[in-house]
Structure formats: C-alpha cells, structure tokens
Amino acid sequence: MVRRIYVEKRTGFDVPAKNLLEDFRETLDLQNLQAVRLFVRYDVEDLDDADFEKVRDIVFRDPNVDNFYFELPADIDLTKTFAVEYLPGQFDIRADSAAQCVQLVTGKERPTIHSAQVISLIGDVSSSDVEKVKAYSINAIESREASFEIPATLKISAEVPAEVEIIFDFNEMDDDALENFLRDRNFAMSFDDLKFCQKYFRDDANRPPTITELKVIDTYWSDHCRHTTFTTIIDDVTFADGKYRAEFEETYKNYLAEKISDKPVTLMDLGTIAAKILKRQGILQGLDESEEINACSIQIKAEVDGKLEDWLIMFKNETHNHPTEIEPFGGAATCLGGAIRDPLSGRSYVYQAMRVMGAADPRKPFSETLKGKLPQKKITRGAAQGYSSYGNQIGLATGQVHEIYHEGYLAKRMEIGAVIAAAPKSNVVRKKPVAGDVVILLGGRTGRDGIGGATGSSKVHTVKSLTKSGAEVQKGNPPTERKIQRLFRNPNVSKLIKRCNDFGAGGVAVAVGELAEGLKINLDAVRKKYEGLDGTELAISESQERMAVVLDAKDAQNFINFADEENLEAYVVATVTDEKNLVMNWRGKEIVNISRKFFDTNGVKRHVKIFVDEPTSYQLQATSSTWLDNLKNLNVCSQKGL
C-alpha cells in the first residue's frame, strides 16, 4: 500500500513559500497573486502503521514548525494548484534521505519513498497565469508535473535491457554514411575522430565496434576529459597593429625561446610554461609530482602539536558551466562536489573553497528570456541554492563568492568551484598498479543521471538542448561524499590505497579505465540505483559520489570492512592485467576491448591559426555623471546575498 502525506511549514516559518510569492510577483508580474502555499508531498510504500507513527514526527516533519496532512486542506483551489516531481531515473536526495532516516529509526529494510513539491496559488490569477508559473517552476531537464492520483505501487518495472549493439557496417561506411552516423548517434567527437576510429577497428582490431566502444572513446576524447581545446595545435600566430603589438610579439618570442623545442604550441603549453621555467630554475622545489594526478599538489612543513611534519597541500578547481546552465541547482551542487572529490581521491581533506560565477543580467523580465534557455534569474538563484546546499551538508566553508555580470555569459553561464585541501604526507601512498591488483568501486550506486555529461559539455548547443540533455546532469549526494571523507582520513585505510580516481566525467570507463594500462572490468558487478540499465549506460554513467580504488588483492576485504563501518558500499569491479587493453564485460560477454595505445592518441590532432587583436582602450573622466553611472553597474552592487 502507498501512503501519501503532505507537510507544510506553519505560519511564521513558511519562508520558502514567501520567497516563491515574491519571485512570482516580481519575475512573472503577477501583482494579483496574494499568497503561495507550499507543501512537500511524500508517497511511502513498505511502511506499516506502527512504524509510520514512530517516524512521522521525527523524519517527515518537525511538530514545532510543520503542519501535517493526509490530504490537501479543503480550502485549496485545485485549479490553481500543481505538483512537481523529479523525472524517473533522476536522483531525489530528499526521498533518499527520508528512506535512510526511516531505516535508522526502525532498524528494518528501507521503505520506498517518492517526494514531490505542491505549489498552490492564492489570489485573482487566471488559468494562463497558472500555466506561466508552471513553465517557470518546472525545468524539463529534471522534473515534470506530477499527478494527484495515488499510484498503486512506487516500484518501477524496468524492461530487461537489450544486448549491446554491434555496428556491423561501421568499417565499410563511406564519408556520407559516417557523417550521418555521427549526427544520428549524437557523438561529441569530430568527423576526423570518427574516421580515425573506423581505421582502428578495420585495420588494427579487424572487427566491427560495439556502440559501447564508440561511446567510451567519445567520452575519453571529450573536451572535458582530454582538454581538446587546450591541446589544439597552434600553427600560426599573428598580431594586430596597435599600441601593444611590440609587447605581445616580444612576449610570444620569449615563450618560443623557453618552450621545449619539439613540443607543439598549444594553449595548454602557453598556460603552463611559467611553472615549467620556475621548475627548470630550481625554484619549485616543493612541487609534488607523481603519476597519480588528482590535483595540483605541493609539499610543506606543518607544525602539529609542536612538531614539524611533512604535509601535502592540494589545489583544484572545477568548472560546471554546462550542467549549471541547464539545471542550476544540480549543476552548481556537483561543481562543488566534483571539486572536492579530486583532492579527496588524493587522500586529502578539503577545508576551504571559493566560488566564481558569470551571468547575464538576472533582472531582465521573464518575457525577455533567450529562446531555449532558462531565465538568468532562475539560473543565478538556483545555482546559489545548489552550491550552498551541498556546502552546508558536507560542512565546507566558502570564503570567497563572487558573481560577474556581463552579456557575454548569456549564451553560457560560468560556474567555477575551487578548493584547497591537506593531508599528512605519510598517509598518501602512491604505487604503480601491477597485474593481479583489484579495483574497488566505493560509494554511491549507478543510475542514468550524468550519462553523457562529459560529451555533452563538449558539444555545440542549440534551442533543443534544454529538452534533450536531461540525463547529462548529475545529482549530488553530499552525505555519501562526507562518509568518504571520513573513511579516507583514517590512515589505516588511506595507506592501503595504491591509486585512486573519483567518478567524475566518464563514469566507470574513465574513472576505472585511467587507473592502469591494462584492466578487465566486470560491469555486472556495478550496483545500480534501479534495474534496466544496459552495458553502455553502466560504462559511462557519471552518477556522483563514487571512487575507484586500486588495492593489492590481499587488502581488498580489509578495505571493504572499513567502508562498511562508514555505511559505504564497496566491492571489486575490476582486475589489473598485463595486457595493455581496456576490457569490459557485461552479461558475461565482452563489449569493450580497446588498446591503451589507441586511447592515448586522444584522437586526431586539431590545428588552428590565431589572430591576436588589440585590446579596447578607453579613459573615464572623473565626473559626477561617470561616478553615478558606475554605481548603476550591476558588478558594483552588494553580493552579500550570494
């Protein structure tokens, strides 16, 4: 039986409802809207009456501040009321947390719980006004309007997934057929990359590829995973005539003189040349270098209890421009989560963060929203809430928050999270994996959230992207990441780890696949949030708060026991092999077998010519009018609210 309950904040505590009222009035110009009532709706299955009474006032509501109903109050006008729920397959942290809390109280199996938000409008609002509020409140990327009918069951009956497709005619496709295949299958790679894949499977592998193999390669070679833009070869650089041309040319000549002669000119090399020069000069003596690249790391001496100890300090920044653009709350939340996970996978503890954003003017009316995009106000506010929610749940202080307003961010928002972390050097053991070592998957389960995130952020987006990119947005789970933080701070655990990768872009394919040159991965072992995922989805899902850890096989059970103490799932998913191939099995069949040498080509090298224009120069006269004009600039307003 499914039990339905509604929870509403009492008057005086109903701040979220009052915020919605203000937002709808201001953004949608609904001046006749008098009030908004906001309910959290829970559907609960597999919970008997006695246990429900036990948990009702502990888990689902706080009697001091919440009202509780089995049905919506009689004075609610259903014609002005609607419910919003997550799409099937999207992770609902409210429902998941409620289920965990119920289990903690009852000591029994977790019940199945779904949640929804019910919004009721009060005042002289028309049916078209209600539809306007719905359009503003429901982001099709992640949610939908929910029915008021109580379902017979909350269990989702998933279809048995089909076998992984083999593209039998791939090696014989001509250029036109390849172009169509590239477009129809929604790959992020270039045509030249796809043609390069065709040559590999035809001439080297001597067999047709599976769709999983092509999707895995597409993920590996995405801009997110391999920084394609920054490694594009710059064939020629010219400078515009003007005031600064001589300085620009002199600086570029100095770079060419200092760079390693046989390395091509790229933005990556330009961006890192200063550090390379300092290292060459012996100045960067504290730089910590290893084959395991989780974050920029330096070695320091730190005083602990009156004694000097060797410590590692790690720095990392994460950009989540694409997911925040299409799903602000989840995108900004997982921006922070992803930034934390990189140094965390280096066994260090993150203790400070910084957030920098770029947006167009969020004061623009809803009617002026660019077609196919969310309103800037919704993006800005939703992202602020998402970042704050994740940071508060994991317990991370953010000392600097700054948003830059410029119309250049109208096409794509900027969302950057940066963190600093530390760990005793003695706790961080780095060893090269050897044949026979095992890879353990630690943390959250795998779902469809985050499939295609890496490749999605590498594509050109159109007005259709907002309705087609839902699966690309990951859903953060900070309580699980907090458990991993506690686990990795235990030196008895961290010293067992030879190498570690976080599950960011690329999922199992990249997180596990990058750990060693030769790997055999068992996708049947990967635990799922729900049934119905096929081999390709299991391989590339970017579901959050997971880690891949390389251990000596004899240490595996000990590590699993430590994880169990933190209520974290941990299990073996792969074995390191001598053969330098990435192999994945699903349903007992081999669906991926690609040589490491081919992966490491990173696809066809891209080339570009660059023209450096003169910067715009102007002078402001110090007059009262320019002073007042500057005060009107959105970028000088108080950002205390962020």
Side-chain angles (χ1 to χ4, degrees), residues 81-94:
T81 303
F82 63 95
V84 185
E85 66 181 359
Y86 281 118
L87 293 169
Q90 288 283 3
F91 177 65
D92 181 353
I93 193 169
R94 182 193 295 274

Side-chain angles (χ1 to χ4, degrees), residues 5-50:
I5 52 180
Y6 297 89
V7 178
E8 179 187 26
K9 293 295 179 190
R10 296 181 188 274
T11 301
F13 298 97
D14 54 344
V15 176
K18 286 184 167 60
N19 288 341
L20 279 183
L21 172 64
E22 178 189 356
D23 191 12
F24 294 158
R25 278 178 171 173
E26 180 184 294
T27 308
L28 305 178
D29 195 27
L30 299 180
Q31 300 307 316
N32 292 327
L33 182 62
Q34 296 174 0
V36 171
R37 293 185 70 176
L38 183 63
F39 304 84
V40 175
R41 187 181 82 184
Y42 294 99
D43 287 346
V44 187
E45 191 173 14
D46 304 324
L47 188 66
D48 61 35
D49 291 342

Side-chain angles (χ1 to χ4, degrees), residues 393-451:
Q393 289 183 75
I394 204 164
L396 179 63
T398 301
Q400 173 73 14
V401 179
H402 189 75
E403 191 156 62
I404 303 161
Y405 300 104
H406 190 282
E407 286 307 297
Y409 294 115
L410 181 62
K412 181 65 71 73
R413 176 182 178 81
M414 177 175 72
E415 184 73 33
I416 298 172
V419 297
I420 183 169
K425 187 179 179 182
S426 60
N427 288 1
V428 183
V429 177
R430 297 180 178 126
K431 295 181 180 178
K432 188 177 180 66
V434 297
D437 285 347
V438 297
V439 179
I440 282 180
L441 195 158
L442 168 74
R445 292 195 170 197
T446 298
R448 291 194 174 94
D449 49 309
I451 291 178

Side-chain angles (χ1 to χ4, degrees), residues 107-178:
K108 301 177 182 178
E109 290 296 317
R110 289 185 195 177
T112 303
I113 300 179
H114 288 181
S115 77
Q117 191 177 64
V118 178
I119 298 173
S120 184
L121 309 179
I122 300 170
D124 184 15
V125 290
S126 64
S127 58
S128 62
D129 291 333
V130 175
E131 292 304 313
K132 191 187 297 184
V133 173
K134 284 183 184 180
Y136 181 68
S137 303
I138 302 174
N139 182 359
I141 282 287
E142 56 156 2
S143 55
R144 66 184 181 185
E145 185 173 358
S147 169
F148 281 101
E149 294 292 325
I150 299 179
T153 180
L154 301 179
K155 305 292 191 299
I156 299 175
S157 56
E159 294 182 6
V160 177
E163 295 294 330
V164 166
E165 180 186 6
I166 300 173
I167 315 300
F168 287 104
D169 60 342
F170 179 76
N171 293 344
E172 288 73 45
M173 289 181 183
D174 60 19
D175 287 358
D176 289 340
L178 279 176

Side-chain angles (χ1 to χ4, degrees), residues 604-624:
V604 177
K605 296 299 180 186
R606 302 182 186 185
H607 294 258
V608 69
K609 294 181 180 180
I610 289 180
F611 174 74
V612 182
D613 206 351
E614 278 282 300
T616 303
S617 61
Y618 58 90
Q619 290 182 335
L620 286 177
Q621 294 181 349
T623 64
S624 58

Side-chain angles (χ1 to χ4, degrees), residues 51-113:
D51 284 337
F52 174 72
E53 288 298 323
K54 190 184 297 183
V55 302
R56 185 187 70 182
D57 294 341
I58 301 174
V59 175
F60 295 108
R61 70 146 181 176
D62 179 349
N64 293 320
V65 300
D66 294 323
N67 289 322
F68 175 86
Y69 314 95
F70 284 109
E71 296 180 349
L72 284 173
D75 59 343
I76 292 294
D77 185 347
L78 291 179
T79 65
K80 301 175 183 178
T81 303
F82 63 95
V84 185
E85 66 181 359
Y86 281 118
L87 293 169
Q90 288 283 3
F91 177 65
D92 181 353
I93 193 169
R94 182 193 295 274
D96 182 72
S97 298
Q100 290 187 54
C101 290
V102 169
Q103 185 182 37
L104 285 172
V105 176
T106 64
K108 301 177 182 178
E109 290 296 317
R110 289 185 195 177
T112 303
I113 300 179

